[in-house]
Amino acid sequence: MGCCGSTERTKREWKPLEDRSCTDLPWFLLFTVFCVGMGSICGFTIATGGAGRLVFGYDSYGNTCGQRNEQIEGVRLSGLDQTDKKYVFFLDPCNIDIVQRKIKSMALCVSLCPDEELKTYQDLKRFAMHNGSELCSYELAGHKYPSLPERFEKCPKLPVPPSKSLPVFNRCTPVDISCYAKFAEAVVTFVSDNSVLHRLIGGVMASKEIIVGLCLLALVLSMILMLIIRYISAVLVWILTAMVVLGSLGELIYLFPETTETKDAKEEAEMTRDSAQALLVYAIAATVFTVILLLLMLFMRKRVALTIALFHVAGKVFIHLPLLTLQPFCTFLALLLFWMYWGLVLLFLGTTGNPVQNEETGLTEFRLTGPLQYMTWYHAVGLIWISEFILACQQMTVAGAVVTYYYTRDKTRLPVTPILSSVLRLMRYHLGTVAKGSFIITLVKIPRLMLMYVHNQLKGKENAFARCMLKTCICCLWCLEKCLNYLNQNAYAATAINSTSFCTSARDAFVILVENALRVAAINAVGDFVLFLGKILIVTSTAFAGVLLLNYQRDYAEWVLPLIIVCLFAFLVAHCFLSIFEIVVDVLFLCFAIDTKYNDGTPGKEFYMDKALMVIYVKIWYTGGISLKWEIICVSILDKNINAICKVLVLCFMS
């Protein structure tokens, strides 16, 4: 059935991993065609010479270095034979356009990069005569450099710094680090003092072994935390809850005396009435917040217990499926390879097109004109869609493995490679569903990025109302994107269970989530906060180890950048690993909600849930809070698959 079908759908029996069939096949075909288009752009840049110009380099007259070139109509000094001139030399390599992020200097093809400093035009002449490499424009004779009047415009800026060629991209790059500071300033303009930049780079290079070791430490800590969080989740959740409540009560204890003192001080010091009233309003608002918080904790304590149980079961999932910890590596590797390919093709596009003379500099540049310029936009959309597709594949893979774990009663009989089986099911049946879900995220992300670009371009120019509207739209789109991401993730889990299309799965998952709205709120609020604290724990632990190690060899100014790099990497690693943990918890909850909705413990409708979840389920839905002794009795009976007897015993006990 399609997304918008009006036919009443019959009640579905959830039969996990049965009756598998292809889903959203048209979207798979559409995504395939789109990827073919992405590949065609790469092929176009190679066929039209853009890739060659990027790799081999080209001069300011449109000649590709190291090749025989054809004449370009209207461009003088084009069509030269540059077979023996394989290197690109910039007359003023430090002349950087900060806005456009490119070198504004004239470029020439030379046969050899100057390996020593050339201070005078006599040195330029001697270098040209001895090495056969002329560093001035082609129409100037090397032996006449010192006397030609054009030498100031068409010869390199003196002194010419020593340079060496890059290994792959044959550009003559200055050896002096001061020119690198210019390049760094063109990319990130956070520092204007070259000495500071030199010290920071030196600190990174001197501490590279420690940086690698600390990054590995963050990796190990993330993996360990995923395994032990099942044991500390209960203590951690209740400690955090108590801290929040005590903090709110402490705020009240402080505010109300302050309010009274403010009123007394007003009579003595004649303070304004508005200040006293504002403080009183704030105290009342804090009181209301505290009361609401206490009531929520009182009524949602059982749902918090469900969150703890889900964390406990998620820890078991990683014990039974340890290869889940490799998912962040696989996803990161796939994203890295795609981003490298995308960036390379983008560079190809920058040197593809028709030769155009820059009116400001007079140099020849290659630009896409007419309909071809839309290839860049197509390529940009591909970056977002394919990146989201890769992330969605990870979510579907994890969901499929967790579903297999949950719906296998005897955990000792799990498939040998449940994760590999999940990947194969994804590739065989559900790539269309993943493509459709990732495309929906792309449709929301593109306008948000465009609005962010407009906001940055108009910064300081727009009025307050326009700025407020732009920020509001950006915030709304961001919230919509987060909601769709969560819904997509549950839709993938529903597809992994029932092999239904994206729209059907999303609708089924949405119904389940709405029916369990309070539990979803508790799990996301408490669970996300606990995982966030886990990320902070990993970052602070890594940073502390970094301070101890780096402090022995570097002063503060030199190891601050290595420490920042380590902390950023630690947070990235922790985020990747704990995001997998979060996906596992969300999928477990969806399976649990489906299990309790469609099964009641009677013969033929036995529960699939874990013991820890069964204890919570019995306690909340059957007993309203019976003793642990009766819970253990119930679980032991449920283990023998005679759930109905347990239900009767509990009901008799309550009556």
Side-chain angles (χ1 to χ4, degrees), residues 308-369:
I308 297 172
L310 287 172
F311 272 62
H312 182 77
V313 178
K316 290 184 178 181
V317 172
F318 281 97
I319 292 177
H320 285 88
L321 308 177
L323 293 181
L324 275 180
T325 56
L326 298 180
Q327 283 301 304
F329 293 106
C330 299
T331 303
F332 178 75
L333 180 61
L335 286 173
L336 183 62
L337 292 175
F338 170 68
W339 288 341
M340 291 174 60
Y341 165 81
W342 187 89
L344 192 61
V345 174
L346 183 65
L347 293 175
F348 289 169
L349 285 172
T351 55
T352 301
N354 301 318
V356 178
Q357 193 171 31
N358 190 313
E359 297 180 358
E360 179 183 352
T361 61
L363 308 179
T364 300
E365 301 175 354
F366 290 88
R367 299 177 184 172
L368 293 170
T369 57

Side-chain angles (χ1 to χ4, degrees), residues 214-235:
L214 291 173
C215 291
L216 292 176
L217 174 64
L219 184 65
V220 173
L221 289 176
S222 300
M223 298 176 68
I224 293 175
L225 182 61
M226 290 176 62
L227 296 178
I228 68 174
I229 200 170
R230 58 175 291 199
Y231 301 108
I232 66 173
S233 57
V235 177

Side-chain angles (χ1 to χ4, degrees), residues 458-505:
L458 298 178
K459 186 172 293 184
K461 300 178 182 179
E462 78 278 19
N463 56 37
F465 178 76
R467 182 168 59 253
C468 180
M469 291 301 297
L470 276 175
K471 290 184 177 180
T472 301
C473 293
I474 293 172
C475 182
C476 291
L477 288 173
W478 180 83
C479 293
L480 178 61
E481 181 183 335
K482 293 300 179 183
C483 293
L484 288 176
N485 265 319
Y486 183 71
L487 182 60
N488 280 9
Q489 179 179 301
N490 286 278
Y492 299 147
T495 298
I497 298 174
N498 265 343
S499 188
T500 49
S501 65
F502 176 82
C503 289
T504 303
S505 298

Side-chain angles (χ1 to χ4, degrees), residues 269-282:
E270 296 183 356
M271 292 179 61
T272 59
R273 182 178 299 177
D274 293 339
S275 300
Q277 289 180 348
L279 190 59
L280 180 61
V281 170
Y282 185 72

